[in-house]
Amino acid sequence: MASGVGTTRPLLVRGGTAVDVAGARRADVLVVGERVAAVGPHLEADGAEVLDAAGAFVIPGGVDVHTHFDLPVGEVRSADDFESGTLAAACGGTTCVVDFAGAGREPPEEALRTWHARAGGRAVVDYAFHLTVTSVPEDPVAARALFAGFAAAGVTSVKLYMAYPERLMVDDATLARALRAATAEGVRVCVHAEDGLEVARRQDEARRAGRGSPADHPGTRPPEVEAAAARRAAALAREASAPLYVVHLSSAAGLEAVRTARDEGAEVVAETCPHYLFLTADALAGPVAEAQNFVCSPPLRSDADRRALWRGLADGDIQVVATDHCPFTRRDRARGVADREEGWADFTQIPGGLPGVETRVGLLFQGVREGPLTLERWVDAVAGAPARLFGLGGTKGSLAPGTDADLVVFDPGAHRRLDAAALHSRADHSPYEGMDVVGWPALTLSRGRVVARGGEPAGTAPGWGRYVPRSPSVTPHGR
Ligand code: URP
Ligand code: ZN
Ligand code: ZN
């Protein structure tokens, strides 16, 4: 098989089944330089290096719009930096990540400077940033100027937290101002939809009752806490005539809240994550040393929630699957965010989040193998929709001529065991330990360059990945 590494010759990916928003069809893909030059049957190109994709799917590289690389959380930090995180992404068929810049209430320009310094020269595949917003000026002109500045820097989406009162939570008035001003400037508003005050009340109650183990975590953040926040955010969005993006939707109740809001006229897009599709709260019930590795927020749910999310994904009510990749080592999990020698005092001190950037594309393909997803839904959820929704539609997430040659040749028969030892994240545990999947990327190309082969690094170079300034994520209005 041809390498394509460092070559200036055209590359012809021949004989595969191309899948993207244009459908699934037998088509060759011609790459010239860093871009797709043509897609169609029986392409020929003089002097091209030919790559045989017979029996494989040729899909746009995955776009993961929810990662947390190199993120400080209390006294610990997420285990993957931009080098290991994007390397893991490449091995699993993801060629562009949108990472959340900002660790807390630092000014956005400082967050952006810091994140550029962390990613620059290290990333293996392309990257972009969202910003975390914790305050919005009351003066509408100043508010719009804030978001116009983000858009000018290529940051056309922000996240506001309705949870974490101690660090990040905003009130409804702030969220309403953000929805109005951001939309006017083409910036998409994403929300972490959990009612933070209700979570805090339940956490206090749990502490007082001596319920502090990982198994007690979901009870402090039940589905209704997510649904209530989603309803509130959607009502504000509707009032502001602004679209809303709900990140990491985890429950049937949350999904129902999104559906109802849409029926009532709100424009709400929903994202879920592989861990809510494949795992349940049972993972939190075992011995603490293992259970602590499954703490994330929103928490893992019931099997009924998991099934409802699959249905929502299949029927298009959930548009995006992103990872919320936020791994921590076993050691950091055990010590906790307060970094106490004796370890965390209760589950609220366990750094939250799971690894996922490498396993997302392959895991979601199981939805095709097992029935609920069509090939097109799979590719749209992991690549097409996230690119279109986040201002990357002109360059990523499709096979259209002129877009970046971010391609995955996906072998539907390849077996992969999802143990930490077989993966490339610096997390030393995998939520899917012992699980075998069938279907894995045979080859990942980033802008025409092979960066992974057979799920292993190949020709990867830190610094090959570039910052991608994004176009508007929503149609600007209200100016
Ligand atoms: O537990 C999680 N998900 N940590 C990452 C931060 C967030 O809320 O997305
Ligand atoms: Zn969140
Ligand atoms: Zn997150």
Side-chain angles (χ1 to χ4, degrees):
M1 198 181 265
S3 78
V5 177
T7 180
T8 53
R9 289 165 66 195
L11 182 69
L12 185 57
V13 184
R14 180 178 273 163
T17 299
V19 188
D20 69 353
V21 72
R25 68 274 188 205
R26 293 300 293 269
D28 303 336
V29 180
L30 178 65
V31 174
V32 177
E34 297 192 358
R35 309 249 184 281
V36 174
V39 182
H42 314 302
L43 297 181
E44 296 292 342
D46 283 347
E49 196 175 346
V50 175
L51 202 152
D52 179 12
F57 299 117
V58 181
I59 66 173
V63 178
D64 188 346
V65 291
H66 196 151
T67 64
H68 298 280
F69 295 151
D70 216 347
L71 176 72
V73 181
E75 299 301 312
V76 300
R77 69 195 301 127
S78 59
D80 282 315
D81 61 14
F82 276 84
E83 185 174 336
S84 66
T86 56
L87 178 77
C91 291
T94 285
T95 52
C96 184
V97 298
V98 186
D99 198 79
F100 284 89
R105 294 189 186 272
E106 73 271 52
E109 19 347 311
E110 184 190 320
L112 209 48
R113 236 188 349 264
T114 306
W115 254 253
H116 272 297
R118 286 179 186 166
R122 295 203 179 88
V124 168
V125 298
D126 290 351
Y127 58 94
F129 299 127
H130 313 274
L131 273 164
T132 299
V133 166
T134 54
S135 68
V136 177
E138 296 202 5
D139 169 23
V141 176
R144 286 223 306 273
L146 176 73
F147 292 101
F150 297 170
V155 177
T156 58
S157 50
V158 293
K159 180 178 178 185
L160 286 87
Y161 286 81
M162 300 172 82
Y164 308 125
E166 68 292 355
R167 286 190 297 130
L168 296 163
M169 190 172 91
V170 297
D171 59 18
D172 286 7
T174 305
L175 179 53
R177 287 198 299 278
L179 283 159
R180 273 192 298 274
T183 304
E185 299 301 333
V187 173
R188 184 176 292 282
V189 172
C190 307
V191 285
H192 176 125
E194 286 187 301
D195 181 336
L197 296 180
E198 178 59 14
V199 172
R201 187 189 72 72
R202 286 170 174 269
Q203 287 177 336
D204 279 349
E205 204 172 77
R207 261 188 225 104
R208 278 198 302 274
R211 289 186 272 112
S213 77
D216 298 309
H217 169 59
T220 63
R221 314 178 92 100
E224 185 46 32
V225 157
E226 177 174 73
R231 278 194 295 272
R232 252 170 60 214
L236 295 171
R238 191 171 154 213
E239 214 172 290
S241 302
L244 178 76
Y245 182 97
V246 179
V247 300
H248 51 48
L249 195 78
S250 64
S251 65
L255 178 56
E256 199 43 46
V258 166
R259 283 199 186 107
T260 305
R262 281 191 198 130
D263 290 347
E264 291 169 357
E267 188 186 332
V268 188
V269 177
E271 163 199 290
T272 191
C273 309
H275 43 276
Y276 302 121
L277 293 167
F278 285 89
L279 304 174
T280 68
D282 289 354
L284 293 156
V288 163
E290 283 308 312
Q292 68 190 354
N293 298 326
F294 291 88
V295 169
C296 60
S297 296
L300 299 177
R301 306 289 191 190
S302 69
D303 201 50
D305 288 303
R306 196 181 71 77
R307 288 170 187 278
L309 295 174
W310 271 113
R311 281 194 298 277
L313 185 61
D315 65 22
D317 279 348
I318 296 174
Q319 287 80 9
V320 174
V321 176
T323 60
D324 200 2
H325 180 88
C326 193
F328 296 92
T329 60
R330 285 179 178 279
R331 181 173 178 276
D332 284 348
R333 293 265 189 193
R335 288 171 77 95
V337 294
D339 197 20
R340 297 162 6 120
E341 202 56 60
E342 66 275 33
W344 47 264
D346 63 51
F347 61 81
T348 64
Q349 293 183 350
I350 301 171
L354 302 183
V357 77
E358 187 170 0
T359 47
R360 180 185 65 128
V361 174
L363 273 173
L364 259 288
F365 181 69
Q366 308 315 300
V368 178
R369 280 177 50 79
E370 287 161 27
L373 300 188
T374 61
L375 282 169
E376 289 90 340
R377 282 295 305 131
W378 166 52
V379 172
D380 207 54
V382 300
R388 288 193 304 277
L389 288 163
F390 285 96
L392 292 164
T395 49
K396 310 284 186 193
S398 96
L399 301 171
T403 57
D404 287 350
D406 284 9
L407 304 179
V408 172
V409 177
F410 190 90
D411 177 355
H415 287 251
R416 191 87 190 174
R417 196 173 175 92
L418 305 186
D419 292 355
L423 299 171
H424 299 85
S425 164
R426 290 196 189 124
D428 49 6
H429 61 92
S430 159
Y432 310 105
E433 202 75 26
M435 180 172 167
D436 285 307
V437 292
V438 182
W440 202 256
L443 216 49
T444 305
L445 279 80
S446 162
R447 300 194 325 273
R449 175 177 181 156
V450 173
V451 288
R453 185 188 298 280
E456 297 299 323
T460 38
W464 172 257
R466 283 190 204 139
Y467 174 64
V468 189
R470 290 181 288 131
S471 302
S473 286
V474 296
T475 309
H477 72 79
R479 284 173 198 264

